[in-house]
PDB file of all heavy atoms in Angstrom:
ATOM      1  N   ALA A   1       0.870  -1.174   0.012  1.00 93.00           N
ATOM      2  CA  ALA A   1      -0.028  -0.012  -0.011  1.00 93.00           C
ATOM      3  C   ALA A   1       0.883   1.231   0.010  1.00 93.00           C
ATOM      4  O   ALA A   1       2.110   1.158   0.243  1.00 93.00           O
ATOM      5  CB  ALA A   1      -0.930  -0.010   1.203  1.00 93.00           C
ATOM      6  N   ILE A   2       0.296   2.352  -0.291  1.00 91.00           N
ATOM      7  CA  ILE A   2       0.993   3.652  -0.217  1.00 91.00           C
ATOM      8  C   ILE A   2       0.473   4.359   1.037  1.00 91.00           C
ATOM      9  O   ILE A   2      -0.747   4.367   1.334  1.00 91.00           O
ATOM     10  CB  ILE A   2       0.694   4.505  -1.457  1.00 91.00           C
ATOM     11  CG1 ILE A   2       1.233   3.817  -2.701  1.00 91.00           C
ATOM     12  CG2 ILE A   2       1.328   5.901  -1.324  1.00 91.00           C
ATOM     13  CD1 ILE A   2       0.845   4.525  -3.995  1.00 91.00           C
ATOM     14  N   VAL A   3       1.382   4.930   1.810  1.00 91.00           N
ATOM     15  CA  VAL A   3       0.962   5.632   3.020  1.00 91.00           C
ATOM     16  C   VAL A   3       0.135   6.866   2.653  1.00 91.00           C
ATOM     17  O   VAL A   3       0.568   7.690   1.872  1.00 91.00           O
ATOM     18  CB  VAL A   3       2.212   6.074   3.860  1.00 91.00           C
ATOM     19  CG1 VAL A   3       1.740   6.848   5.069  1.00 91.00           C
ATOM     20  CG2 VAL A   3       3.012   4.880   4.274  1.00 91.00           C
ATOM     21  N   GLU A   4      -1.055   6.913   3.199  1.00 91.00           N
ATOM     22  CA  GLU A   4      -1.978   8.026   2.927  1.00 91.00           C
ATOM     23  C   GLU A   4      -2.078   8.906   4.151  1.00 91.00           C
ATOM     24  O   GLU A   4      -1.866   8.482   5.285  1.00 91.00           O
ATOM     25  CB  GLU A   4      -3.353   7.496   2.536  1.00 91.00           C
ATOM     26  CG  GLU A   4      -3.353   6.655   1.224  1.00 91.00           C
ATOM     27  CD  GLU A   4      -4.731   6.129   0.894  1.00 91.00           C
ATOM     28  OE1 GLU A   4      -5.579   6.155   1.793  1.00 91.00           O
ATOM     29  OE2 GLU A   4      -4.905   5.679  -0.223  1.00 91.00           O
ATOM     30  N   GLY A   5      -2.451  10.169   3.915  1.00 93.00           N
ATOM     31  CA  GLY A   5      -2.708  11.079   5.002  1.00 93.00           C
ATOM     32  C   GLY A   5      -1.433  11.633   5.680  1.00 93.00           C
ATOM     33  O   GLY A   5      -1.490  12.093   6.846  1.00 93.00           O
ATOM     34  N   LEU A   6      -0.317  11.616   4.931  1.00 94.00           N
ATOM     35  CA  LEU A   6       0.936  12.153   5.521  1.00 94.00           C
ATOM     36  C   LEU A   6       0.782  13.602   5.917  1.00 94.00           C
ATOM     37  O   LEU A   6       0.240  14.417   5.220  1.00 94.00           O
ATOM     38  CB  LEU A   6       2.076  12.035   4.501  1.00 94.00           C
ATOM     39  CG  LEU A   6       2.749  10.659   4.350  1.00 94.00           C
ATOM     40  CD1 LEU A   6       3.791  10.718   3.269  1.00 94.00           C
ATOM     41  CD2 LEU A   6       3.376  10.174   5.659  1.00 94.00           C
ATOM     42  N   ILE A   7       1.321  13.926   7.100  1.00 95.00           N
ATOM     43  CA  ILE A   7       1.285  15.307   7.598  1.00 95.00           C
ATOM     44  C   ILE A   7       2.409  16.139   6.953  1.00 95.00           C
ATOM     45  O   ILE A   7       2.169  17.225   6.435  1.00 95.00           O
ATOM     46  CB  ILE A   7       1.409  15.348   9.103  1.00 95.00           C
ATOM     47  CG1 ILE A   7       0.139  14.675   9.757  1.00 95.00           C
ATOM     48  CG2 ILE A   7       1.555  16.774   9.635  1.00 95.00           C
ATOM     49  CD1 ILE A   7       0.233  14.553  11.246  1.00 95.00           C
ATOM     50  N   PHE A   8       3.601  15.560   6.940  1.00 95.00           N
ATOM     51  CA  PHE A   8       4.769  16.248   6.365  1.00 95.00           C
ATOM     52  C   PHE A   8       5.056  15.578   4.980  1.00 95.00           C
ATOM     53  O   PHE A   8       5.711  14.533   4.941  1.00 95.00           O
ATOM     54  CB  PHE A   8       5.966  16.199   7.292  1.00 95.00           C
ATOM     55  CG  PHE A   8       5.721  16.853   8.612  1.00 95.00           C
ATOM     56  CD1 PHE A   8       5.328  16.079   9.720  1.00 95.00           C
ATOM     57  CD2 PHE A   8       5.868  18.198   8.748  1.00 95.00           C
ATOM     58  CE1 PHE A   8       5.124  16.714  10.922  1.00 95.00           C
ATOM     59  CE2 PHE A   8       5.649  18.815   9.990  1.00 95.00           C
ATOM     60  CZ  PHE A   8       5.274  18.077  11.079  1.00 95.00           C
ATOM     61  N   LYS A   9       4.533  16.147   3.954  1.00 90.00           N
ATOM     62  CA  LYS A   9       4.605  15.507   2.632  1.00 90.00           C
ATOM     63  C   LYS A   9       5.982  15.614   2.000  1.00 90.00           C
ATOM     64  O   LYS A   9       6.331  14.773   1.159  1.00 90.00           O
ATOM     65  CB  LYS A   9       3.539  16.078   1.705  1.00 90.00           C
ATOM     66  CG  LYS A   9       2.090  15.723   2.146  1.00 90.00           C
ATOM     67  CD  LYS A   9       1.077  16.275   1.165  1.00 90.00           C
ATOM     68  CE  LYS A   9      -0.300  15.794   1.476  1.00 90.00           C
ATOM     69  NZ  LYS A   9      -0.794  16.193   2.813  1.00 90.00           N
ATOM     70  N   GLU A  10       6.704  16.613   2.372  1.00 91.00           N
ATOM     71  CA  GLU A  10       8.057  16.822   1.769  1.00 91.00           C
ATOM     72  C   GLU A  10       9.094  17.144   2.864  1.00 91.00           C
ATOM     73  O   GLU A  10       8.875  18.103   3.600  1.00 91.00           O
ATOM     74  CB  GLU A  10       8.043  17.924   0.716  1.00 91.00           C
ATOM     75  CG  GLU A  10       7.234  17.588  -0.517  1.00 91.00           C
ATOM     76  CD  GLU A  10       7.339  18.699  -1.574  1.00 91.00           C
ATOM     77  OE1 GLU A  10       8.254  19.525  -1.463  1.00 91.00           O
ATOM     78  OE2 GLU A  10       6.492  18.742  -2.473  1.00 91.00           O
ATOM     79  N   ILE A  11      10.143  16.384   2.886  1.00 94.00           N
ATOM     80  CA  ILE A  11      11.331  16.729   3.682  1.00 94.00           C
ATOM     81  C   ILE A  11      12.560  16.576   2.785  1.00 94.00           C
ATOM     82  O   ILE A  11      12.530  15.795   1.840  1.00 94.00           O
ATOM     83  CB  ILE A  11      11.472  15.871   4.992  1.00 94.00           C
ATOM     84  CG1 ILE A  11      11.658  14.424   4.591  1.00 94.00           C
ATOM     85  CG2 ILE A  11      10.303  16.015   5.895  1.00 94.00           C
ATOM     86  CD1 ILE A  11      12.124  13.544   5.747  1.00 94.00           C
ATOM     87  N   GLU A  12      13.538  17.315   3.069  1.00 95.00           N
ATOM     88  CA  GLU A  12      14.804  17.244   2.292  1.00 95.00           C
ATOM     89  C   GLU A  12      15.885  16.581   3.160  1.00 95.00           C
ATOM     90  O   GLU A  12      16.059  16.934   4.299  1.00 95.00           O
ATOM     91  CB  GLU A  12      15.258  18.639   1.834  1.00 95.00           C
ATOM     92  CG  GLU A  12      16.532  18.587   1.023  1.00 95.00           C
ATOM     93  CD  GLU A  12      16.990  19.987   0.608  1.00 95.00           C
ATOM     94  OE1 GLU A  12      16.239  20.938   0.718  1.00 95.00           O
ATOM     95  OE2 GLU A  12      18.188  20.106   0.206  1.00 95.00           O
ATOM     96  N   ILE A  13      16.577  15.621   2.567  1.00 93.00           N
ATOM     97  CA  ILE A  13      17.651  14.925   3.282  1.00 93.00           C
ATOM     98  C   ILE A  13      18.971  15.680   2.967  1.00 93.00           C
ATOM     99  O   ILE A  13      19.286  15.925   1.798  1.00 93.00           O
ATOM    100  CB  ILE A  13      17.810  13.463   2.867  1.00 93.00           C
ATOM    101  CG1 ILE A  13      16.440  12.773   2.937  1.00 93.00           C
ATOM    102  CG2 ILE A  13      18.805  12.747   3.735  1.00 93.00           C
ATOM    103  CD1 ILE A  13      15.815  12.758   4.301  1.00 93.00           C
ATOM    104  N   ILE A  14      19.694  16.054   4.008  1.00 95.00           N
ATOM    105  CA  ILE A  14      20.944  16.802   3.844  1.00 95.00           C
ATOM    106  C   ILE A  14      22.086  16.045   4.513  1.00 95.00           C
ATOM    107  O   ILE A  14      21.862  15.171   5.348  1.00 95.00           O
ATOM    108  CB  ILE A  14      20.837  18.228   4.463  1.00 95.00           C
ATOM    109  CG1 ILE A  14      20.497  18.119   5.951  1.00 95.00           C
ATOM    110  CG2 ILE A  14      19.787  19.031   3.708  1.00 95.00           C
ATOM    111  CD1 ILE A  14      20.508  19.449   6.668  1.00 95.00           C
ATOM    112  N   ASP A  15      23.302  16.407   4.138  1.00 93.00           N
ATOM    113  CA  ASP A  15      24.441  15.657   4.679  1.00 93.00           C
ATOM    114  C   ASP A  15      24.830  16.085   6.123  1.00 93.00           C
ATOM    115  O   ASP A  15      25.132  15.256   6.935  1.00 93.00           O
ATOM    116  CB  ASP A  15      25.677  15.873   3.780  1.00 93.00           C
ATOM    117  CG  ASP A  15      25.485  15.186   2.406  1.00 93.00           C
ATOM    118  OD1 ASP A  15      24.859  14.099   2.407  1.00 93.00           O
ATOM    119  OD2 ASP A  15      25.982  15.714   1.400  1.00 93.00           O
ATOM    120  N   GLU A  16      24.810  17.400   6.385  1.00 95.00           N
ATOM    121  CA  GLU A  16      25.254  17.890   7.685  1.00 95.00           C
ATOM    122  C   GLU A  16      24.336  18.957   8.242  1.00 95.00           C
ATOM    123  O   GLU A  16      23.707  19.713   7.446  1.00 95.00           O
ATOM    124  CB  GLU A  16      26.668  18.493   7.566  1.00 95.00           C
ATOM    125  CG  GLU A  16      27.762  17.526   7.084  1.00 95.00           C
ATOM    126  CD  GLU A  16      28.086  16.487   8.105  1.00 95.00           C
ATOM    127  OE1 GLU A  16      27.798  16.690   9.321  1.00 95.00           O
ATOM    128  OE2 GLU A  16      28.683  15.436   7.731  1.00 95.00           O
ATOM    129  N   PHE A  17      24.217  19.047   9.560  1.00 97.00           N
ATOM    130  CA  PHE A  17      23.521  20.125  10.203  1.00 97.00           C
ATOM    131  C   PHE A  17      24.382  21.378  10.077  1.00 97.00           C
ATOM    132  O   PHE A  17      25.556  21.375  10.484  1.00 97.00           O
ATOM    133  CB  PHE A  17      23.296  19.785  11.679  1.00 97.00           C
ATOM    134  CG  PHE A  17      22.430  20.771  12.438  1.00 97.00           C
ATOM    135  CD1 PHE A  17      21.065  20.561  12.590  1.00 97.00           C
ATOM    136  CD2 PHE A  17      23.001  21.910  12.981  1.00 97.00           C
ATOM    137  CE1 PHE A  17      20.303  21.463  13.283  1.00 97.00           C
ATOM    138  CE2 PHE A  17      22.231  22.819  13.713  1.00 97.00           C
ATOM    139  CZ  PHE A  17      20.835  22.572  13.844  1.00 97.00           C
ATOM    140  N   PRO A  18      23.830  22.507   9.612  1.00 96.00           N
ATOM    141  CA  PRO A  18      24.669  23.710   9.464  1.00 96.00           C
ATOM    142  C   PRO A  18      25.003  24.343  10.806  1.00 96.00           C
ATOM    143  O   PRO A  18      24.087  24.696  11.611  1.00 96.00           O
ATOM    144  CB  PRO A  18      23.743  24.656   8.628  1.00 96.00           C
ATOM    145  CG  PRO A  18      22.371  24.127   8.884  1.00 96.00           C
ATOM    146  CD  PRO A  18      22.465  22.673   9.124  1.00 96.00           C
ATOM    147  N   SER A  19      26.265  24.541  11.049  1.00 95.00           N
ATOM    148  CA  SER A  19      26.726  25.042  12.353  1.00 95.00           C
ATOM    149  C   SER A  19      26.274  26.490  12.566  1.00 95.00           C
ATOM    150  O   SER A  19      26.255  26.955  13.728  1.00 95.00           O
ATOM    151  CB  SER A  19      28.253  24.954  12.408  1.00 95.00           C
ATOM    152  OG  SER A  19      28.855  25.698  11.397  1.00 95.00           O
ATOM    153  N   TRP A  20      25.941  27.186  11.499  1.00 96.00           N
ATOM    154  CA  TRP A  20      25.571  28.579  11.605  1.00 96.00           C
ATOM    155  C   TRP A  20      24.024  28.805  11.800  1.00 96.00           C
ATOM    156  O   TRP A  20      23.565  29.950  11.813  1.00 96.00           O
ATOM    157  CB  TRP A  20      26.010  29.368  10.369  1.00 96.00           C
ATOM    158  CG  TRP A  20      25.486  28.843   9.078  1.00 96.00           C
ATOM    159  CD1 TRP A  20      24.345  29.275   8.407  1.00 96.00           C
ATOM    160  CD2 TRP A  20      26.018  27.800   8.252  1.00 96.00           C
ATOM    161  NE1 TRP A  20      24.169  28.541   7.288  1.00 96.00           N
ATOM    162  CE2 TRP A  20      25.184  27.635   7.146  1.00 96.00           C
ATOM    163  CE3 TRP A  20      27.186  26.949   8.403  1.00 96.00           C
ATOM    164  CZ2 TRP A  20      25.436  26.682   6.170  1.00 96.00           C
ATOM    165  CZ3 TRP A  20      27.412  26.035   7.409  1.00 96.00           C
ATOM    166  CH2 TRP A  20      26.537  25.862   6.312  1.00 96.00           C
ATOM    167  N   ALA A  21      23.313  27.722  11.959  1.00 96.00           N
ATOM    168  CA  ALA A  21      21.857  27.837  12.146  1.00 96.00           C
ATOM    169  C   ALA A  21      21.592  28.653  13.413  1.00 96.00           C
ATOM    170  O   ALA A  21      22.315  28.559  14.421  1.00 96.00           O
ATOM    171  CB  ALA A  21      21.240  26.467  12.248  1.00 96.00           C
ATOM    172  N   LYS A  22      20.533  29.439  13.395  1.00 95.00           N
ATOM    173  CA  LYS A  22      20.144  30.239  14.537  1.00 95.00           C
ATOM    174  C   LYS A  22      19.227  29.476  15.475  1.00 95.00           C
ATOM    175  O   LYS A  22      18.606  28.481  15.116  1.00 95.00           O
ATOM    176  CB  LYS A  22      19.465  31.524  14.083  1.00 95.00           C
ATOM    177  CG  LYS A  22      20.376  32.419  13.220  1.00 95.00           C
ATOM    178  CD  LYS A  22      19.617  33.618  12.679  1.00 95.00           C
ATOM    179  CE  LYS A  22      20.529  34.499  11.831  1.00 95.00           C
ATOM    180  NZ  LYS A  22      19.791  35.674  11.295  1.00 95.00           N
ATOM    181  N   SER A  23      19.078  29.984  16.696  1.00 95.00           N
ATOM    182  CA  SER A  23      18.168  29.452  17.672  1.00 95.00           C
ATOM    183  C   SER A  23      18.379  27.970  17.938  1.00 95.00           C
ATOM    184  O   SER A  23      17.405  27.167  18.094  1.00 95.00           O
ATOM    185  CB  SER A  23      16.680  29.716  17.280  1.00 95.00           C
ATOM    186  OG  SER A  23      16.460  31.075  17.143  1.00 95.00           O
ATOM    187  N   GLN A  24      19.625  27.523  17.961  1.00 96.00           N
ATOM    188  CA  GLN A  24      19.923  26.102  18.150  1.00 96.00           C
ATOM    189  C   GLN A  24      19.548  25.626  19.552  1.00 96.00           C
ATOM    190  O   GLN A  24      19.807  26.310  20.541  1.00 96.00           O
ATOM    191  CB  GLN A  24      21.351  25.826  17.871  1.00 96.00           C
ATOM    192  CG  GLN A  24      21.796  25.966  16.405  1.00 96.00           C
ATOM    193  CD  GLN A  24      23.181  25.482  16.150  1.00 96.00           C
ATOM    194  OE1 GLN A  24      23.682  24.524  16.772  1.00 96.00           O
ATOM    195  NE2 GLN A  24      23.857  26.104  15.225  1.00 96.00           N
ATOM    196  N   ALA A  25      18.886  24.481  19.637  1.00 97.00           N
ATOM    197  CA  ALA A  25      18.563  23.863  20.906  1.00 97.00           C
ATOM    198  C   ALA A  25      18.247  22.417  20.628  1.00 97.00           C
ATOM    199  O   ALA A  25      18.065  22.013  19.471  1.00 97.00           O
ATOM    200  CB  ALA A  25      17.413  24.552  21.596  1.00 97.00           C
ATOM    201  N   THR A  26      18.137  21.632  21.692  1.00 97.00           N
ATOM    202  CA  THR A  26      17.738  20.213  21.564  1.00 97.00           C
ATOM    203  C   THR A  26      16.345  20.000  22.062  1.00 97.00           C
ATOM    204  O   THR A  26      15.945  20.506  23.122  1.00 97.00           O
ATOM    205  CB  THR A  26      18.687  19.341  22.417  1.00 97.00           C
ATOM    206  OG1 THR A  26      20.032  19.443  21.975  1.00 97.00           O
ATOM    207  CG2 THR A  26      18.247  17.847  22.372  1.00 97.00           C
ATOM    208  N   GLY A  27      15.525  19.310  21.267  1.00 97.00           N
ATOM    209  CA  GLY A  27      14.218  18.887  21.733  1.00 97.00           C
ATOM    210  C   GLY A  27      14.324  17.427  22.159  1.00 97.00           C
ATOM    211  O   GLY A  27      15.012  16.655  21.571  1.00 97.00           O
ATOM    212  N   ILE A  28      13.635  17.104  23.240  1.00 97.00           N
ATOM    213  CA  ILE A  28      13.717  15.735  23.730  1.00 97.00           C
ATOM    214  C   ILE A  28      12.355  15.186  24.163  1.00 97.00           C
ATOM    215  O   ILE A  28      11.546  15.898  24.780  1.00 97.00           O
ATOM    216  CB  ILE A  28      14.750  15.623  24.945  1.00 97.00           C
ATOM    217  CG1 ILE A  28      15.029  14.173  25.277  1.00 97.00           C
ATOM    218  CG2 ILE A  28      14.241  16.410  26.135  1.00 97.00           C
ATOM    219  CD1 ILE A  28      16.229  13.997  26.167  1.00 97.00           C
ATOM    220  N   ASP A  29      12.140  13.967  23.761  1.00 96.00           N
ATOM    221  CA  ASP A  29      10.895  13.182  24.149  1.00 96.00           C
ATOM    222  C   ASP A  29      11.346  11.978  24.945  1.00 96.00           C
ATOM    223  O   ASP A  29      12.127  11.193  24.455  1.00 96.00           O
ATOM    224  CB  ASP A  29      10.162  12.789  22.902  1.00 96.00           C
ATOM    225  CG  ASP A  29       8.873  12.043  23.202  1.00 96.00           C
ATOM    226  OD1 ASP A  29       8.036  12.610  23.958  1.00 96.00           O
ATOM    227  OD2 ASP A  29       8.645  10.895  22.724  1.00 96.00           O
ATOM    228  N   PHE A  30      10.891  11.858  26.201  1.00 95.00           N
ATOM    229  CA  PHE A  30      11.329  10.770  27.080  1.00 95.00           C
ATOM    230  C   PHE A  30      10.574   9.475  26.807  1.00 95.00           C
ATOM    231  O   PHE A  30       9.382   9.499  26.540  1.00 95.00           O
ATOM    232  CB  PHE A  30      11.141  11.193  28.545  1.00 95.00           C
ATOM    233  CG  PHE A  30      11.907  12.442  28.932  1.00 95.00           C
ATOM    234  CD1 PHE A  30      11.256  13.543  29.496  1.00 95.00           C
ATOM    235  CD2 PHE A  30      13.284  12.502  28.734  1.00 95.00           C
ATOM    236  CE1 PHE A  30      11.928  14.658  29.880  1.00 95.00           C
ATOM    237  CE2 PHE A  30      13.990  13.637  29.080  1.00 95.00           C
ATOM    238  CZ  PHE A  30      13.288  14.744  29.659  1.00 95.00           C
ATOM    239  N   GLY A  31      11.286   8.388  26.920  1.00 92.00           N
ATOM    240  CA  GLY A  31      10.692   7.049  26.829  1.00 92.00           C
ATOM    241  C   GLY A  31      11.515   6.152  27.756  1.00 92.00           C
ATOM    242  O   GLY A  31      12.329   6.607  28.513  1.00 92.00           O
ATOM    243  N   PHE A  32      11.257   4.861  27.697  1.00 87.00           N
ATOM    244  CA  PHE A  32      12.098   3.906  28.435  1.00 87.00           C
ATOM    245  C   PHE A  32      11.985   2.480  27.909  1.00 87.00           C
ATOM    246  O   PHE A  32      12.818   2.027  27.182  1.00 87.00           O
ATOM    247  CB  PHE A  32      11.773   3.927  29.953  1.00 87.00           C
ATOM    248  CG  PHE A  32      12.814   3.097  30.703  1.00 87.00           C
ATOM    249  CD1 PHE A  32      14.128   3.556  30.816  1.00 87.00           C
ATOM    250  CD2 PHE A  32      12.488   1.871  31.247  1.00 87.00           C
ATOM    251  CE1 PHE A  32      15.106   2.796  31.491  1.00 87.00           C
ATOM    252  CE2 PHE A  32      13.434   1.097  31.930  1.00 87.00           C
ATOM    253  CZ  PHE A  32      14.733   1.586  32.025  1.00 87.00           C
ATOM    254  N   THR A  33      10.902   1.779  28.229  1.00 84.00           N
ATOM    255  CA  THR A  33      10.881   0.341  27.929  1.00 84.00           C
ATOM    256  C   THR A  33      10.671   0.089  26.415  1.00 84.00           C
ATOM    257  O   THR A  33      11.592  -0.457  25.764  1.00 84.00           O
ATOM    258  CB  THR A  33       9.735  -0.337  28.682  1.00 84.00           C
ATOM    259  OG1 THR A  33       9.904  -0.045  30.074  1.00 84.00           O
ATOM    260  CG2 THR A  33       9.756  -1.844  28.505  1.00 84.00           C
ATOM    261  N   ASN A  34       9.504   0.396  25.877  1.00 84.00           N
ATOM    262  CA  ASN A  34       9.277   0.172  24.458  1.00 84.00           C
ATOM    263  C   ASN A  34       9.413   1.414  23.634  1.00 84.00           C
ATOM    264  O   ASN A  34       9.828   1.372  22.458  1.00 84.00           O
ATOM    265  CB  ASN A  34       7.878  -0.401  24.268  1.00 84.00           C
ATOM    266  CG  ASN A  34       7.740  -1.804  24.872  1.00 84.00           C
ATOM    267  OD1 ASN A  34       8.596  -2.678  24.701  1.00 84.00           O
ATOM    268  ND2 ASN A  34       6.673  -1.984  25.652  1.00 84.00           N
ATOM    269  N   ASP A  35       9.103   2.568  24.210  1.00 90.00           N
ATOM    270  CA  ASP A  35       9.272   3.821  23.512  1.00 90.00           C
ATOM    271  C   ASP A  35      10.678   4.391  23.777  1.00 90.00           C
ATOM    272  O   ASP A  35      11.164   4.370  24.881  1.00 90.00           O
ATOM    273  CB  ASP A  35       8.271   4.899  24.024  1.00 90.00           C
ATOM    274  CG  ASP A  35       6.830   4.496  23.643  1.00 90.00           C
ATOM    275  OD1 ASP A  35       6.656   3.712  22.661  1.00 90.00           O
ATOM    276  OD2 ASP A  35       5.907   5.006  24.307  1.00 90.00           O
ATOM    277  N   PRO A  36      11.317   4.853  22.698  1.00 93.00           N
ATOM    278  CA  PRO A  36      12.675   5.402  22.868  1.00 93.00           C
ATOM    279  C   PRO A  36      12.681   6.805  23.466  1.00 93.00           C
ATOM    280  O   PRO A  36      11.697   7.508  23.383  1.00 93.00           O
ATOM    281  CB  PRO A  36      13.202   5.420  21.429  1.00 93.00           C
ATOM    282  CG  PRO A  36      11.982   5.675  20.611  1.00 93.00           C
ATOM    283  CD  PRO A  36      10.875   4.916  21.312  1.00 93.00           C
ATOM    284  N   THR A  37      13.780   7.110  24.075  1.00 95.00           N
ATOM    285  CA  THR A  37      14.056   8.553  24.378  1.00 95.00           C
ATOM    286  C   THR A  37      14.729   9.146  23.100  1.00 95.00           C
ATOM    287  O   THR A  37      15.729   8.624  22.683  1.00 95.00           O
ATOM    288  CB  THR A  37      14.981   8.687  25.572  1.00 95.00           C
ATOM    289  OG1 THR A  37      14.336   8.208  26.739  1.00 95.00           O
ATOM    290  CG2 THR A  37      15.407  10.177  25.786  1.00 95.00           C
TER     291      THR A  37
END
């Protein structure tokens, strides 16, 4: 099947995170047993 109802229809894959990007920070979602952190 083809995945339907995608929220983010287009993303671009890049080689490196640009060091000059502004407002840099880390977002984190906690998990443990079955869900990853």
Side-chain angles (χ1 to χ4, degrees):
I2 299 174
V3 177
E4 297 178 346
L6 281 176
I7 295 175
F8 299 96
K9 293 183 172 61
E10 291 185 18
I11 63 167
E12 181 182 344
I13 310 301
I14 59 174
D15 291 328
E16 300 288 341
F17 185 96
S19 59
W20 59 93
K22 298 177 180 177
S23 301
Q24 291 188 34
T26 299
I28 190 166
D29 181 55
F30 300 125
F32 188 70
T33 305
N34 295 313
D35 292 339
T37 295

